[in-house]
Amino acid sequence: MKRLLMIFPLLISCVIGLSQEQKPNIIFIFADDWGYGDLGCHGSTFCKTPVLDKMVDEGIDFQNFSVANPVCSPSRTAVMTGQFPSKYNIHGHFSSIKTNKKREMPDWLNPKAPMLTRMMKKAGYVTGHFGKWHLTNSAISDAPLPYQYGIDEYGAFNISGKQMDVEQTIPMTLDFIKQHQSHPFYINVWIHAAHTPHYPKNKYLDEFSYLDEQKKVYASVITDADKQIGNIFSLLKELGIDKNTLVVFSSDNGPEKTTKRRKINDASTGPGLGSFYSVGETGGLKGRKRSLYAGGVRVPFIVRWPGKVPAGIRNNTTSITAVDLLPTFIELAGATPPKNYHGDGQSIVTALKGNPFERTKTIYWEWRLWKDNSPNWPNLGIQEGKWKLLINTDLKRSELYCIQDDWAEQKEMSKEYPKVVQTLLNKALVWKMKLPKKSEIPQSCISTERMK
């Protein structure tokens, strides 16, 4: 009897260990201002990305993935909450208190909101965040820290308090993986490339010396990031956890536009080269960062999970978006969201496994920070089925695209399909009417400096 009592705890321990081992590790790499066409496998005319190209060969390249906003902070909010960022009055990137107030935004993402990392912790994961944060701004001294969002360990920039050196993003990620290799982990790896300021290394500038000044700098930044991502894959294999780790690579929005600014000094990352060198490519898609056209919101989305995700698939039909990540990762973790959670996305686990996926939820975009007839004119968008409608009610302007047949949004079809336009317009306006007003921003999300 005594022997049985001794064996019983061992059996329980083995069962628990097996259960933990079956939970996949998840690493979400989120680049910054990295255009769809900045990958070699996507036809870049001057950038080299052998690591990411190999990731495509070993996984699935989803070519019809879109983020929830054409700039940083709202795009990241969608990932963390699984909800469209306008539900939190986050319409643009977090900036100074004065600018946030002018934009009718809070000063940080509400830490009490439903949070991917908090749900992963509840599912038994240890959580890490390394790299860019920008769910507040470095100028906001009293903003919550990542710990309050369900993150166990972090190093970050664009954050309240001490700013992490951008060069530490991957090294800190590697240390975290080594430390927690025997336990299920979830990591946000939110890299700086290819956002300004640019910090090209001399060895890559020499490698691309045959390019012109602008392309040489940009290609150096992209190649550096690509090789650092390769260090993650190498470590996973070295530790023997490669086959139990899902790695996702994407970008928060399309590429920055090129300007005359050769130098820039960022409060979070320090001085470096400016947007004169921002010559990223969209791969033929219309629009860039700050635009609801495809070039501003359609970005790379590559998944790799040896033995679970089929290798070498280029999927250009499955329509997925950033708010789908939370329900997907939660399902893979063997968990369920809180009962009162109302997400805007749907799990794409079936698509990750190479099976057919049917989108049943509508995709919406809101972009309030542009109101003129520039290339960034659309301030509202809706995608349902094969149709995408871009809208600006102030300008009384709309454009309709059949993204199923016109992936690059080159043929405007509103005159041919007026009923489709009206149906989608009505639905988008109803959605917009339900969004919170300025008065509904919680006081707990406003800096004390702003209330003085």
Side-chain angles (χ1 to χ4, degrees), residues 27 95 115 145 166 196 209 270 274 283 309 329 342 401 405 433 437:
I27 301 175
S95 186
M115 209 62 56
L145 295 175
V166 297
T196 55
S209 60
V309 169
F329 293 160
H342 301 289
Y401 296 94
D405 304 321
M433 287 177 59
K437 306 296 186 292

Side-chain angles (χ1 to χ4, degrees), residues 178-412:
K178 293 174 185 176
Q179 182 182 351
H180 300 289
Q181 59 182 290
S182 60
H183 192 282
F185 58 75
Y186 172 85
I187 318 175
N188 283 332
V189 186
W190 291 4
I191 62 178
H192 178 64
H195 198 285
T196 55
H198 299 302
Y199 303 110
K201 292 184 173 65
N202 288 333
K203 62 180 178 180
Y204 298 123
L205 291 173
D206 292 340
E207 180 180 336
F208 292 102
S209 60
Y210 58 89
L211 295 175
D212 65 37
E213 179 186 357
Q214 292 170 298
K215 290 180 178 179
K216 178 170 64 175
V217 168
Y218 196 83
S220 297
V221 169
I222 292 293
T223 291
D224 185 13
D226 182 74
K227 292 193 175 182
Q228 290 196 54
I229 291 169
N231 292 337
I232 296 177
F233 289 122
S234 296
L235 180 61
L236 294 175
K237 290 181 180 179
E238 178 187 323
L239 297 176
I241 58 175
D242 185 45
K243 292 184 179 180
N244 195 43
T245 304
L246 168 68
V247 181
V248 177
F249 172 83
S250 190
S251 176
D252 65 348
N253 47 251
E256 178 63 275
K257 68 177 181 179
T258 310
T259 71
K260 296 181 179 180
R261 299 182 69 184
R262 290 177 175 267
K263 293 184 178 180
I264 185 174
N265 190 358
D266 185 269
S268 298
T269 64
L273 299 181
S275 50
F276 174 75
Y277 303 94
S278 296
V279 289
E281 299 177 287
T282 65
L285 302 176
K286 185 189 302 184
R288 300 177 74 84
K289 181 177 181 179
R290 302 179 191 84
S291 173
L292 293 185
Y293 282 119
V297 294
R298 187 177 297 141
V299 293
F301 189 80
I302 309 168
V303 298
R304 176 188 182 275
W305 186 5
K308 299 293 194 304
V309 169
I313 294 179
R314 272 71 166 174
N315 183 325
N316 61 5
T317 57
T318 301
S319 181
I320 55 181
T321 189
V323 292
D324 297 336
L325 296 183
L326 185 150
T328 301
F329 293 160
I330 293 302
E331 180 178 338
L332 291 173
T336 55
K339 290 183 179 179
N340 61 347
Y341 175 71
H342 301 289
D344 292 318
Q346 58 190 102
S347 172
I348 60 167
V349 169
T350 56
L352 297 186
K353 294 181 178 180
N355 299 317
F357 168 80
E358 181 182 358
R359 168 143 232 107
T360 58
K361 289 194 174 185
T362 304
I363 300 173
Y364 295 97
W365 295 274
E366 188 191 33
W367 171 236
R368 294 188 184 182
L369 305 187
W370 224 275
K371 297 183 178 180
D372 58 25
N373 267 306
S374 75
N376 301 337
W377 66 270
N379 58 17
L380 190 63
I382 178 172
Q383 180 177 315
E384 195 166 71
K386 65 180 183 179
W387 298 107
K388 177 180 176 182
L389 182 69
L390 298 174
I391 307 157
N392 189 313
T393 53
D394 294 333
L395 300 174
K396 295 182 172 56
R397 180 177 175 182
S398 63
E399 291 184 3
L400 180 70
Y401 296 94
C402 178
I403 57 173
Q404 176 179 282
D405 304 321
D406 181 21
W407 183 80
E409 298 175 6
Q410 299 298 314
K411 184 179 180 181
E412 202 281 305

Side-chain angles (χ1 to χ4, degrees), residues 42-171:
H42 284 182
S44 174
T45 61
F46 64 95
C47 290
K48 295 181 180 179
T49 55
V51 171
L52 292 173
D53 294 350
K54 184 179 180 183
M55 185 180 177
V56 168
D57 292 337
E58 297 177 341
I60 301 179
D61 179 10
F62 287 99
Q63 300 177 351
N64 195 12
F65 172 84
S66 62
V67 286
N69 194 276
V71 298
C72 178
S73 299
S75 179
R76 293 162 193 267
T77 295
V79 170
M80 290 292 280
T81 64
Q83 297 172 316
F84 296 119
S86 293
K87 292 189 174 181
Y88 297 96
N89 286 98
I90 300 175
H91 317 298
H93 71 275
F94 285 111
S95 186
S96 66
I97 292 172
K98 181 179 179 180
T99 301
N100 291 339
K101 183 176 181 180
K102 183 179 180 181
R103 292 176 177 173
E104 299 182 351
M105 284 175 49
D107 292 314
W108 52 77
L109 171 62
N110 189 348
K112 294 182 180 179
M115 209 62 56
L116 167 61
T117 41
R118 192 176 295 123
M119 294 180 196
M120 296 299 286
K121 274 176 64 72
K122 190 174 181 181
Y125 280 67
V126 59
T127 56
H129 179 103
F130 305 104
K132 188 169 186 176
W133 182 245
H134 219 172
L135 296 176
T136 184
N137 186 274
S138 58
I140 314 296
S141 61
D142 55 342
L145 295 175
Y147 295 131
Q148 293 170 258
Y149 295 82
I151 293 169
D152 293 315
E153 299 177 28
Y154 79 93
F157 51 93
N158 286 101
I159 195 172
S160 175
K162 184 179 180 180
Q163 309 295 305
M164 181 191 77
D165 187 328
V166 297
E167 291 296 328
Q168 289 302 306
T169 300
I170 300 300

